[in-house]
Amino acid sequence: DQQVKQNSPSLSVQEGRISILNCDYTNSMFDYFLWYKKYPAEGPTFLISISSIKDKNEDGRFTVFLNKSAKHLSLHIVPSQPGDSAVYFCAASLLNYNTDKLIFGTGTRLQVFP
Amino acid sequence: KAGVTQTPRYLIKTRGQQVTLSCSPISGHRSVSWYQQTPGQGLQFLFEYFSETQRNKGNFPGRFSGRQFSNSRSEMNVSTLELGDSALYLCASSSSDNYGYTFGSGTRLTVV
């Protein structure tokens, strides 16, 4: 049972345009969401997070939106750059349940072309 | 500040053997988690250790085990290896002050 889903395995965007990566979840108890970026042969690196009490969090070119009623979050990258080409994982957590366990989606491979 | 260190980086084992992977977390981080990454499955949670105690466990068979030492270093062991165990095994550490994992580069295990 996949509690966190990234239904698009890949996304191709032109440099300078907006990249939108989507993530859906099924457990309404999740209270913290994170996005990680992963380059080949490296471990995932933390990108941005959002608490369930917010609906938007912004950090430079990266913005995460959370729609709790739809159990949906998205990551917007504006403007997209070739260096953003990587696999992006969304993850959800039960932060208030004394655990650091994260449930990850299957990832979306983003390719930014010139 | 040193990151999360995983050793070895690459490993080839045959079916039926056992393997031990090592993870050294960031200094001061007391929580260490292990994940398995396979194509199409994403990152799947194996287990989490905090102060030498297993705090959470994923849905993996008992062949997968782990432990954490007093210096927060962690090991993961897989016994009776199967072909399907071939994957990238990632370790991540976190502190209670800053929620958000820092991952190591992983150990690529190939079972032949």
Side-chain angles (χ1 to χ4, degrees), chain A residues 5 9 33 40 49-51 69 73-74 82-83 87 104 106 109 114:
Chain A
K5 302 175 185 178
F33 303 89
S49 63
I50 187 167
S51 165
S69 61
L73 67 154
S74 61
V87 177
F104 283 88
T106 52
R109 182 176 301 279

Side-chain angles (χ1 to χ4, degrees), chain A residues 16-58:
Chain A
R17 302 276 189 148
I18 183 172
S19 294
I20 300 177
L21 295 98
N22 294 304
C23 180
D24 297 295
Y25 61 96
T26 58
N27 189 344
S28 58
M29 301 297 287
F30 287 140
D31 52 15
Y32 200 76
F33 303 89
L34 307 91
W35 283 94
Y36 283 81
K37 179 169 74 172
K38 186 180 184 300
Y39 293 115
E42 295 182 13
T45 54
F46 171 73
L47 199 55
I48 192 169
S49 63
I50 187 167
S51 165
S52 61
I53 62 173
K54 295 186 177 181
D55 54 18
K56 176 183 174 182
N57 189 24
E58 192 171 353

Side-chain angles (χ1 to χ4, degrees), chain A residues 1-3 91-93 98-105, chain B residues 31-38 41-50 53-61 64 76 88-94 99 101 103:
Chain A
D1 179 28
Q2 193 74 23
Q3 295 188 65
S93 172
N98 194 31
T99 174
D100 280 1
K101 174 181 176 180
L102 291 178
I103 310 295
F104 283 88
Chain B
S31 170
V32 174
S33 299
W34 289 88
Y35 288 82
Q36 181 196 64
Q37 185 188 6
T38 53
Q41 293 294 319
L43 288 156
Q44 293 189 293
F45 174 77
L46 280 155
F47 25 66
E48 180 218 346
Y49 287 88
F50 183 86
T53 301
Q54 187 180 86
R55 191 159 66 171
N56 216 327
K57 191 177 190 305
N59 296 323
F60 278 80
F64 292 81
M76 190 191 101
L88 178 67
Y89 290 88
L90 290 158
C91 161
S93 74
S94 67
Y99 192 78
Y101 281 179
F103 281 86

